[in-house]
Amino acid sequence: ETGVTQSPTHLIKTRGQQVTLRCSSQSGHNTVSWYQQALGQGPQFIFQYYREEENGRGNFPPRFSGLQFPNYSSELNVNALELDDSALYLCASSLDSRGNNYNEQFFGPGTRLTVL
Amino acid sequence: AQSVTQPDIHITVSEGASLELRCNYSYGATPYLFWYVQSPGQGLQLLLKYFSGDTLVQGIKGFEAEFKRSQSSFNLRKPSVHWSDAAEYFCAVGPFSGNTPLVFGKGTRLSVIA
């Protein structure tokens, strides 16, 4: 069973640029959630995708957008980068069976984004 | 609104000493509670979780946590700390069902000295 993988590991961008981060779900999982972890903070929920559709969003501006593909991998896109976007970006995959049980999230190692 | 408070930003313990990391949560119903560990440059690894039943839960690496509803707490404990336990620890709360996201505390950094 393959775990959650993310690419790239590290990325350096300048203000105003655009960035795309990628996440491959754990095998058999159909849901991906993205979190932003700023330095010295806990992860904060950005949004979630279930079966290629957005399934919830946190308090992040529209310049944070995402995609989920038929193989359930996912991308996080950030436009017009700001210095405060510097953070570790984590994705987590889970299997949503549309039941009432909590669906455990499995986290990837993260992508460290630095905005200069 | 859900929230998680980890009152201790940084804790230092001696190797072999016992450890307790505090976590308090705010949630309107019985939550799902989690403890994650994050080593430098790594993602999050689940240590243990509480959904229901026995309020004392056992996790990996010798960790345990106790859910106390009356105190809205879910403190993490380990009887004897190893140097490899030095890391950042996050408490998180989630709702009863579905894929609703986790809400994390700000974390407690654990340092272990010889």
Side-chain angles (χ1 to χ4, degrees):
Chain A
E1 184 177 270
T2 307
V4 179
T5 60
Q6 292 185 242
S7 62
T9 305
H10 296 90
L11 203 51
I12 299 175
K13 293 285 189 178
T14 56
R15 274 185 303 174
Q17 286 189 310
Q18 179 266 343
V19 69
T20 298
L21 310 181
R22 295 177 175 83
C23 172
S24 291
S25 307
Q26 184 166 310
S27 177
H29 287 182
N30 56 15
T31 302
V32 172
S33 303
W34 285 92
Y35 293 82
Q36 181 196 65
Q37 185 180 9
L39 195 62
Q41 302 294 315
Q44 289 198 323
F45 175 69
I46 303 174
F47 46 57
Q48 181 184 88
Y49 279 82
Y50 168 73
R51 292 185 177 270
E52 302 179 58
E53 292 194 2
E54 190 175 288
N55 188 44
R57 188 177 184 92
N59 189 26
F60 280 81
R63 58 189 185 83
F64 284 78
S65 63
L67 283 173
Q68 188 179 31
F69 300 98
N71 66 355
Y72 302 131
S73 65
S74 177
E75 286 183 354
L76 164 64
N77 299 290
V78 187
N79 293 322
L81 283 167
E82 301 177 359
L83 296 180
D84 285 348
D85 295 334
S86 295
L88 179 68
Y89 288 84
L90 297 164
C91 82
S93 74
S94 56
L95 174 61
D96 183 0
S97 58
R98 300 277 111 169
N100 285 327
N101 296 321
Y102 192 82
N103 304 309
E104 183 175 339
Q105 298 183 19
F106 294 82
F107 285 83
T111 293
R112 173 76 60 188
L113 172 65
T114 301
V115 182
L116 303 176
Chain B
Q2 303 169 49
S3 67
V4 176
T5 302
Q6 293 182 247
D8 305 304
I9 296 174
H10 183 206
I11 285 181
T12 300
V13 300
S14 299
E15 192 170 15
S18 64
L19 170 70
E20 183 169 26
L21 302 182
R22 297 183 290 165
C23 172
N24 293 97
Y25 67 90
S26 174
Y27 188 68
T30 301
Y32 285 4
L33 293 159
F34 306 80
W35 275 100
Y36 285 87
V37 62
Q38 185 177 40
S39 299
Q42 302 295 313
L44 299 172
Q45 181 182 21
L46 180 65
L47 286 175
L48 48 76
K49 58 184 182 282
Y50 172 77
F51 286 178
S52 64
D54 193 350
T55 56
L56 183 64
V57 293
Q58 302 297 320
I60 62 171
K61 303 185 180 186
F63 286 92
E64 65 178 27
E66 186 172 12
F67 170 59
K68 293 185 177 180
R69 184 190 306 273
S70 61
Q71 298 177 20
S72 296
S73 69
F74 189 57
N75 293 349
L76 181 71
R77 301 195 294 246
K78 186 170 184 178
S80 177
V81 169
H82 188 262
W83 64 267
S84 61
D85 293 325
E88 190 90 21
Y89 290 81
F90 293 94
C91 180
V93 62
F96 177 76
S97 65
N99 272 307
T100 348
L102 296 167
V103 174
F104 287 86
K106 292 188 175 182
T108 297
R109 183 160 62 93
L110 173 65
S111 296
V112 180
I113 58 176

